[in-house]
Amino acid sequence: MTTRVPTPDAPQPGTPGRGAEDVPAAAHRELGLTDFEYERITELLGREPNGVELAMFSLLWSEHCAYKHSRKLLGRLPTEGERVVMGPGENAGAVDVGGGHAVAFKVESHNHPSAVEPFQGAATGVGGILRDVFAIGARPIAVLDSLRFGELSSERSRYLFEGVVAGIGHYGNSIGVPTVGGEVYFEAPYEHNCLVNAMCVGLARSDEMIRSAAAGTGNVLVLFGASTGRDGIGGASVLASAELEAGDDAKRPTVQIGDPFEESKLLECSLELLASGLLVSLQDLGAAGLTSSAGEMASKGGVGVEIDVRRVPLREADMEPFEIMVSESQERMLAVVRPEDTDAVIALCEKWQTGVAAIGTVTDTGAMRILDDREEVGNVPVSALVDECPLYDLKPEKPDGWMYRNAETLSMHVALHAGRSADPEDPSAVLTALLGSPNVGSKRWAFEQYDSIVGSRTVRRPEAADAAVLLLGESERAIGVSIDGNGRRVACDPYAGAVEAVLECAQNLACAGAEPLGLTNCLNFGNPEKPAVAWQLDRAVSGLADACVALRVPVVGGNVSLYNETEHGSIYPTPVVGMIGELPDPERVPGVGPRAGDRLVLVGPFAPSLAGSELAKLRGELAEGLPETDVASVAAAIAFAREQVRSGRMSAAHDVSEGGLAAALAEMAIAADAGIEADLDPLVELRGCSGETALFGEGPGGIVLAVDPGDAEGLIGDARRARVDALALGSASGDRLEISAAEREASVPVAAAARAWHSLAERMHSA
Amino acid sequence: MIGVIQFPGSCDERDALQACERVGQARMVWHEETELDRIDGVVVPGGFSYGDYLRAGAIARFSPAMEAVARFAAAGGPVLGICNGFQVLCEAGLLPGALLPNTGLRFVCRQVAIVAEGSDSPFTAELGQGERLSVPVKHMTGRFFAADDELDRLEDAGQIAFRYAQGDNPNGSARDVAGVTNEAGNVLGLMPHPEHAVDPLTGSDDGLALFRAFERQPAAA
Amino acid sequence: MVKAKVLIRPKQGILDPQGKAVERALPALGFDGISNVRVGRLVELETDDPSALDSLCEKLLANPLIEDFEVELEEEALS
Amino acid sequence: MVKAKVLIRPKQGILDPQGKAVERALPALGFDGISNVRVGRLVELETDDPSALDSLCEKLLANPLIEDFEVELEEEALS
Ligand SMILES: Nc1ncnc2c1ncn2[C@@H]1O[C@H](COP(=O)(O)OP(=O)(O)O)[C@@H](O)[C@H]1O
Ligand SMILES: [Mg+2]
């Protein structure tokens, strides 16, 4: 099956909007439906669909809306837990945080729109995920972003990165929700398919949360927010289901413009409507616009709906019924309201200067009936539209060997950061080069463009700790939040890499003393109809599921973005994991920089390996395979580290990730603006690895804690009793990084390390 | 009672309210309110009033509440404009100068050091000349501009309330100006956010000094 | 040297949040009878090769996905 | 109804970092011989009372401290 986006010169199915006689033959193919699917629609309707109906089906039966290649897999993820308040299926998941409050959160992709227009694509991505969260009655309190671009040496990557960061900042900053964390990776396979995932966290009173199921025959459908234009007609849904190909220009007029000011009014208005008890149910309008919102609300409530498109406030006068039904204009919400409350709802919308119109009613027919004034222009069973899209089995097949290009760039990085004459085998030069690699280095250039503090909840801003920490004043607790996923490692081993994404997230939380409550994820993959991609997807979902079970973290929501590939190949398989954890005492959250004189202790089963590491990448040595991880022992180490952090005795905590232990120690030294002396021989002995591997090898299960020298023995003793490996590595002293391992030694002034680590801004401007 | 003006598109109004509540009582003032009933001090908060469309602060300054604020300020009432509030007050002519896009052309959010200049304003009464405060900035349009002779005049008149510490100017402001007052000193506008510096847990509490001014200042009108 | 004015405006059909916000605010400010407000950008420059301007607009000054542009040259060449 | 164009530009002497950014980007894109780039705003609207436009500009559309403006009316009245 090949899916394709309609081009302007292709027949525009549905355009007639009146009767079936106007729909060109085989229009369904142009709209991305297979012959098989079209036949199925005809069967379900007992007739051919007309233009309006076909347009609606084509969108709701797209991968983006119907999850037709991924739904079966997602069933593997554990979704139950004591603290789960809302699980997958609602606009966002939510977990109980005590005191009558719940934290809602979700991550979503806006990859293809961002590749077309980075600023608006990213901005509207943030807008969309915010709406998902306030649609369930939660006030957004934080945004995180997870970004992937091609190598920074590519001009196009820098252009996309620049635009995406500005777009996220524009939307989040203007609406007054802090962007408190995120991650960015630069890897060649994302050159033609950048990934822009945004996560939103919201806080709600549990008794004010609302679901999206429509109910109550005779109740009114109220559309409020922005007016409806031709934005993204055939946009997000179709774009998200088709490979980007040559001839993209045709899609461009479908760029959607974000209006954060409109959204901020919409947000306040929605929350005030909910607090006033005026709504029966609420749903945002996202991909496939009114069709999917109304359809899903009706499907969940087991009811029918009737919508008169002429009552929808339009931005452009001459829109066709099908255009109104599938428009993806931003900043709109759909509510079900009791007839007697309609006036009050309209009055509140007017207070917030946001548009509002009663556009239809809830019926008991089980059908979605579309009227154009009084004339019926569409009438389909809700269940056919929303629930009966065929689901496909994947045909996974392990590829033989490494499917990605990976160029050797270590000497370039050494030349750039350690000097022209430096030796690319010398550990000092390697460390400096790794710190200067944009995957390892500070992302300050990006996160300084985000307001990370509005809302007065941010106890730990980006880079101040491994997880962002937010106060929940209302519930006397704090939460830690993190988002992670290293696609390169998932490419090496989809199962192990996905496990690691979950572990990395939990490790970051542990460094802040936070215990995971729930997880959300976004599965960014290539074309699932290709056996190798199907295999990646299959393995990665199993990895996520097993890691969640081992850590006992329920998955409360997520999003799938498939077909991230072009004729240049597929992206790295990239499951992105977002996690929320709770912590009792935000005063005790340590930073990343140790106090002078403190001992540094590595805890956990961390067994460094160069496989899939940043160093392997820079040397052009990427290949299949990652070492197996004993998830249970990592889980034990995570729990141990968390308790140690909660004791308040740690002056710093930082987990080992990209660039290995040497990079982790360097980051700690840079944060403290002071030196670190460490001897990694105990690690070399325990794991039987080489000095170089101890320095730069990567893998899960390593957390460095800094304690007062007087407490170090106690910490190591506690670890032994908890059966967690703990190795004293050295201490914070001097003004250099002196890290030795077996015969190798890296010795770099902290100032030089910091220069390399902070080189992103410079590389954005020059190069 | 301190009033915090709330426009459509305000972002930091809740933060400002909470900061005020640390020193006294406060309430929101909706932008359509025409009278500042029983209000003894006003905060015009940060954010993106009316989306900052057209020009930061350009639309908000026409709101009924801002007309009331103008009368309140003319009668000597204390008015604190923070970030977008500073922009609104400049647009309204209650403060000298104007705010232009940062020379870096990007939004910038970071903790900076600002220095009190010993101005003659109730808001800085607690601060000695040269006292440094650690306060965050977060804005896209924070480059203070006034013509050179106007800047001279402001300096002579003691209307420069705060400057960015050496090397900490985040936006290219003329002469490192971070905050200015009106001639009478009862209206202060600044780009840094003192309401985000009221608790060491979230960064610093150096900003509290500005809010305490409201408590010392007796009601104006 | 020719002076040129480039007028850049949101494409027809593309949402213009600024124009909308201004239009909505006007009546409250006491300005009536104003409609169809669109807010765009104005770039003025001097060039010795006006023929390159279209390409400049497409590549740098305007975003052709969402904006239209129009170049106006000032009649009197400057030098 | 009269169509009007309002051109708003940064006052001479005020640093225009956007204009400077455009100038800096030019050589890399292969554009030479372009100078004095200034970036301003363009507001287009329809009004039934063009005589009120100056006041609208002074009060709202431009800030006279930092910006100059110019109003262009389209000759043909629309209705
Ligand atoms: N795109 C981004 N937006 C906001 N913060 C970011 C972004 N990228 C990185 N950060 C912040 O920088 C810090 C380091 O990120 P990262 O290296 O990914 O940490 P870790 O490896 O511990 O997950 C974190 O505080 C993270 O939230
Ligand atoms: Mg990391």
Side-chain angles (χ1 to χ4, degrees), chain B:
Chain B
M1 177 72 70
I2 309 165
V4 178
I5 314 289
Q6 186 179 25
F7 304 106
S10 290
C11 298
D12 300 276
E13 76 276 26
R14 283 183 203 81
D15 311 81
L17 193 79
Q18 286 167 21
C20 292
E21 283 169 349
R22 287 175 186 258
V23 303
Q25 289 192 311
R27 73 163 174 95
M28 290 292 184
V29 175
W30 185 241
H31 65 112
E32 284 170 338
E33 292 185 33
T34 52
E35 295 298 328
L36 298 178
D37 233 9
R38 279 185 290 256
I39 293 285
D40 318 303
V42 168
V43 177
V44 189
F48 289 77
S49 57
Y50 294 90
D52 265 5
Y53 291 143
L54 205 55
R55 205 172 51 249
I59 301 179
R61 72 110 152 168
F62 287 100
S63 66
M66 280 309 298
E67 286 174 26
V69 170
R71 292 193 301 273
F72 179 80
V79 177
L80 174 61
I82 304 167
C83 194
N84 193 232
F86 184 15
Q87 296 159 346
V88 173
L89 292 172
C90 288
E91 284 282 339
L94 295 177
L95 285 173
L99 293 143
L100 293 165
N102 300 347
T103 42
L105 291 174
R106 291 196 184 88
F107 189 94
V108 51
C109 173
R110 70 167 74 122
Q111 201 76 14
V112 298
I114 58 173
V115 181
E117 290 292 300
S119 66
D120 205 10
S121 160
F123 291 107
T124 52
E126 262 184 49
L127 304 171
Q129 168 135 26
E131 193 165 334
R132 285 167 77 101
L133 311 181
S134 169
V135 187
V137 291
K138 49 187 192 82
H139 58 248
M140 183 92 155
T141 309
R143 174 170 43 122
F144 183 75
F145 168 83
D148 265 323
D149 49 349
E150 172 77 351
L151 283 167
D152 293 341
R153 198 190 62 71
L154 292 175
E155 283 176 350
D156 292 344
Q159 284 180 250
I160 309 293
F162 295 102
R163 289 186 212 263
Y164 300 105
Q166 187 97 47
D168 257 11
N169 183 341
N171 51 35
S173 280
R175 301 190 195 173
D176 293 333
V177 171
V180 297
T181 71
N182 63 347
E183 255 176 57
N186 63 315
V187 181
L188 167 67
L190 75 173
M191 286 315 294
H193 286 262
E195 84 283 23
H196 287 290
V198 295
D199 184 352
L201 192 56
T202 48
S204 109
D205 61 0
D206 291 357
L208 269 180
L210 277 74
F211 292 94
R212 282 195 289 264
F214 285 121
E215 282 309 278
R216 276 192 310 274
Q217 189 73 2

Side-chain angles (χ1 to χ4, degrees), chain A residues 379-446:
Chain A
N379 192 342
V380 298
V382 168
S383 59
L385 195 57
V386 180
D387 307 310
E388 312 255 356
C389 174
L391 300 183
Y392 297 106
D393 285 311
L394 298 179
K395 300 194 179 60
E397 213 172 283
K398 186 174 187 307
D400 45 340
W402 184 248
M403 3 185 306
Y404 301 92
R405 292 177 301 125
N406 44 288
E408 179 175 353
T409 47
L410 180 62
S411 358
M412 179 197 102
H413 280 263
V414 166
L416 204 58
H417 299 288
R420 298 270 145 220
S421 56
D423 167 10
E425 293 302 315
D426 168 35
S428 305
V430 171
L431 176 57
T432 313
L434 283 174
L435 291 173
S437 141
N439 288 341
V440 177
S442 169
K443 311 300 185 293
R444 175 166 307 234
W445 177 87

Side-chain angles (χ1 to χ4, degrees), chain A residues 230-578:
Chain A
R230 282 205 180 82
D231 311 85
I233 304 263
S237 305
V238 178
L239 278 172
S241 306
E243 298 177 17
L244 283 180
E245 286 175 43
D248 270 344
D249 285 357
K251 290 170 204 160
R252 288 178 166 172
T254 64
V255 169
Q256 305 152 45
I257 307 290
D259 183 353
F261 174 52
E262 189 69 41
E263 179 120 323
S264 106
K265 296 184 296 178
L266 190 64
L267 185 165
E268 298 299 341
C269 181
S270 300
L271 294 182
E272 200 169 330
L273 285 168
L274 283 168
S276 317
L278 289 171
L279 305 183
V280 175
S281 55
L282 181 64
Q283 161 88 10
D284 62 298
L285 277 76
L290 258 181
T291 303
S292 87
S293 300
E296 282 168 19
M297 291 177 94
S299 156
K300 282 182 191 146
V303 296
V305 287
E306 194 168 286
I307 291 175
D308 184 349
V309 294
R310 282 308 138 208
R311 287 156 75 182
V312 173
L314 300 180
R315 203 168 72 228
E316 289 166 85
D318 54 345
M319 288 176 66
E320 298 284 342
F322 98 93
E323 291 180 308
I324 297 169
M325 284 310 295
V326 306
S327 157
E328 294 184 346
S329 285
Q330 301 287 303
E331 291 99 18
R332 298 179 300 162
M333 303 291 281
L334 186 62
V336 174
V337 176
R338 286 173 295 269
E340 63 271 25
D341 291 334
T342 322
D343 288 346
V345 168
I346 290 174
L348 244 171
C349 289
E350 279 166 1
K351 170 188 167 189
W352 284 103
Q353 304 181 0
T354 182
V356 58
I359 62 161
T361 48
V362 176
T363 64
D364 59 4
T365 59
M368 181 144 159
R369 185 161 179 253
I370 313 299
L371 302 177
D372 184 358
D373 228 344
R374 247 157 241 129
E375 187 186 351
E376 177 178 300
V377 293
N379 192 342
V380 298
V382 168
S383 59
L385 195 57
V386 180
D387 307 310
E388 312 255 356
C389 174
L391 300 183
Y392 297 106
D393 285 311
L394 298 179
K395 300 194 179 60
E397 213 172 283
K398 186 174 187 307
D400 45 340
W402 184 248
M403 3 185 306
Y404 301 92
R405 292 177 301 125
N406 44 288
E408 179 175 353
T409 47
L410 180 62
S411 358
M412 179 197 102
H413 280 263
V414 166
L416 204 58
H417 299 288
R420 298 270 145 220
S421 56
D423 167 10
E425 293 302 315
D426 168 35
S428 305
V430 171
L431 176 57
T432 313
L434 283 174
L435 291 173
S437 141
N439 288 341
V440 177
S442 169
K443 311 300 185 293
R444 175 166 307 234
W445 177 87
F447 68 69
E448 272 197 349
Q449 298 185 52
Y450 305 149
D451 179 345
S452 53
I453 59 177
V454 62
S456 301
R457 300 177 184 279
T458 315
V459 174
R460 288 292 178 270
R461 305 176 191 183
E463 228 164 77
D466 281 12
V469 177
L470 299 164
L471 298 174
L472 301 179
E474 295 82 345
S475 81
E476 311 258 309
R477 292 182 209 211
I479 53 171
V481 198
S482 182
I483 189 165
D484 293 278
N486 182 328
R488 174 178 7 103
R489 294 181 71 83
V490 182
C492 292
D493 182 336
Y495 180 87
V499 167
E500 284 184 12
V502 178
L503 295 178
E504 164 74 12
C505 229
Q507 286 174 195
N508 284 337
L509 292 191
C511 289
E515 177 166 14
L517 292 177
L519 177 150
T520 180
N521 70 94
C522 186
L523 301 173
N524 305 274
F525 284 76
N527 181 349
E529 296 158 49
K530 295 189 176 162
V533 173
W535 176 78
Q536 293 173 329
L537 194 53
D538 179 83
R539 296 293 295 153
V541 172
S542 287
L544 285 182
D546 291 352
C548 289
V549 169
L551 290 178
R552 299 217 225 129
V553 195
V555 177
V556 300
N559 178 240
V560 178
S561 170
L562 302 179
Y563 300 95
N564 289 290
E565 62 179 87
T566 62
E567 66 270 24
H568 302 281
S570 172
I571 58 162
Y572 279 153
T574 313
V576 166
V577 173

Side-chain angles (χ1 to χ4, degrees), chain D residues 39-51:
Chain D
V39 179
R41 268 196 317 279
L42 165 71
V43 180
E44 295 180 305
L45 49 80
E46 290 172 24
T47 176
D48 50 17
D49 177 13
S51 71

Side-chain angles (χ1 to χ4, degrees), chain C residues 4-79:
Chain C
K5 256 186 218 150
V6 182
L7 309 183
I8 301 163
R9 38 176 85 88
K11 264 200 160 79
Q12 264 318 318
I14 289 259
L15 176 69
D16 171 20
Q18 298 208 61
K20 218 173 45 160
V22 173
E23 193 169 318
R24 189 164 221 146
L26 288 172
L29 311 184
F31 295 100
D32 295 317
I34 294 177
S35 57
N36 283 328
V37 181
R38 308 278 288 172
V39 179
R41 283 175 301 129
L42 164 72
V43 182
E44 296 180 305
L45 49 80
E46 292 175 22
T47 176
D48 50 18
D49 175 15
S51 71
L53 282 179
D54 271 1
S55 143
L56 175 66
C57 289
E58 274 160 27
K59 285 196 189 146
L60 182 66
L61 301 184
N63 180 346
L65 296 184
I66 52 179
E67 294 171 325
D68 288 326
F69 63 86
E70 186 186 334
V71 178
E72 289 179 8
L73 298 180
E74 248 171 56
E75 294 93 69
E76 356 79 82
L78 294 183
S79 76

